[in-house]
Amino acid sequence: MLFIANAEGWPGVPTTVRMLREGADSLTALVAGIGEVEAEVRVRSVGRGGWPNMLGEMECDAAVMDGTTREVGAVGAVPHTLHVARLAHEVMKRLPHVMLTGEGARRFASEIGLPVEDVLLPDSRRVWWERLERELSPEERGRFPDIPLAPLLRAITDPERVRDTTVYLSADPARGIHAATSTSGWAWKYPGRLGDSPIPGAGYYADSRHGATACTHTGEMTMRCSTARSIVLALKLGHPLDDAVAMAVEDLAGLKDGFLGGVVIHAVDARGDHRVVNFRCPGEIRYWLWDDTMAEPELRAAQTA
Ligand code: ASP
């Protein structure tokens, strides 16, 4: 059994590792751990600690993928909901759909008993407004939010404030290979913006026969390159994990226009190997690794692409 999570996933790593050790269903263990990340105010890119969109509203994205059945549950731009990974898991288990967004996702959350919550912290609301206010004329401040938001986007949207979505991957010869993600997305994003975290093939993909991938940082790039699916497809075609990741990095590096930034790729294969590779993100990127030969999960440094 192998488990990896990005560094920001720290609050839930002990829970997921304990449940995997005890033989729990892998996706249930991933979702339980991510639930603790979503509730942790010190994680500033997911759930309770996350930053809002340009209107000061939290809109969270999440997904799960069962690599054995290739079933997916995903939710996007969900308002007033903390535990969106659990919501995504329930979409997968209970609905004939793959993805719900916005008010429909919120409606389903109520149907399964997830409370309507104000996920935004008061202090985050203060920081949100102070940042926005600096860009608005007195007249715009008076009319807000009934003003065009697009002209403000480049100045205010702050992808750098979000350092990491939470991504969790597990791989086990018997229990399969699975992926789960959760995020509040870019800080000050345009309302309704979806990142890659709910998009299968972009922000995550899992196939128990070959491997799984999950990405953090600039979803606008992984959505254009289908990064997660590309890697698993390369594994299927017989490429070693290093080459599979290198091919995806080459695609990202080939993007010359549009919004460009860094991406971190987390990948596992069916042979029990893993790679975490930093493509152009500043600073050191780390991740959690646990396998069943290790007493405790360890924080490791990612490779640089
Ligand atoms: N990939 C996420 C998104 O695009 C954000 C992140 O991981 O930092 O929403």
Side-chain angles (χ1 to χ4, degrees), residues 6 45 61 159 161-167 182-186 189 193-198 203 215-223:
N6 64 326
S45 50
D61 305 334
R161 246 182 222 271
V162 173
R163 302 298 307 167
D164 272 306
T165 291
T166 292
V167 296
S182 180
T183 190
S184 53
W186 279 19
K189 62 192 173 186
R193 177 261 183 189
L194 293 185
D196 58 341
S197 306
C215 304
T216 63
H217 292 68
T218 314
E220 273 64 7
M221 294 173 71
T222 64
M223 286 190 281

Side-chain angles (χ1 to χ4, degrees), residues 54 135-136 140 147-157 190:
M54 215 185 267
E135 305 295 329
L136 302 179
E140 285 173 321
I147 60 168
L149 298 177
L152 298 167
L153 201 57
R154 289 265 167 188
I156 294 182
T157 303
Y190 197 95

Side-chain angles (χ1 to χ4, degrees), residues 85-224:
R86 172 149 174 242
L87 184 61
H89 198 193
E90 297 299 328
V91 168
M92 188 191 95
K93 289 191 288 189
R94 298 187 198 214
L95 300 182
H97 304 314
V98 160
M99 191 180 302
L100 295 180
T101 61
E103 289 303 330
R106 180 54 251 175
R107 179 192 173 98
F108 178 60
S110 294
E111 287 184 22
I112 64 165
L114 289 178
V116 175
E117 292 186 65
D118 186 4
V119 178
L120 184 62
L121 293 174
D123 194 55
S124 303
R125 184 184 299 281
R126 180 186 58 76
V127 174
W128 158 75
W129 179 247
E130 284 175 4
R131 176 71 191 90
L132 193 63
E133 205 180 16
R134 289 207 293 276
E135 305 295 329
L136 302 179
S137 66
E139 193 259 334
E140 285 173 321
R141 263 176 248 156
R143 282 200 293 128
F144 187 85
D146 295 325
I147 60 168
L149 298 177
L152 298 167
L153 201 57
R154 289 265 167 188
I156 294 182
T157 303
D158 191 353
E160 290 309 319
R161 246 182 222 271
V162 173
R163 302 298 307 167
D164 272 306
T165 291
T166 292
V167 296
Y168 279 29
L169 298 175
S170 70
D172 179 78
R175 283 186 275 172
I177 302 181
H178 309 287
T181 67
S182 180
T183 190
S184 53
W186 279 19
W188 287 259
K189 62 192 173 186
Y190 197 95
R193 177 261 183 189
L194 293 185
D196 58 341
S197 306
I199 308 298
Y204 62 95
Y205 197 78
D207 184 329
S208 298
R209 300 167 298 180
H210 309 295
T213 310
C215 304
T216 63
H217 292 68
T218 314
E220 273 64 7
M221 294 173 71
T222 64
M223 286 190 281
R224 292 164 68 191

Side-chain angles (χ1 to χ4, degrees), residues 49-67:
W51 295 105
N53 67 15
M54 215 185 267
L55 295 176
E57 294 162 352
M58 294 296 286
E59 290 185 327
C60 296
D61 305 334
V64 299
M65 183 160 185
D66 181 320

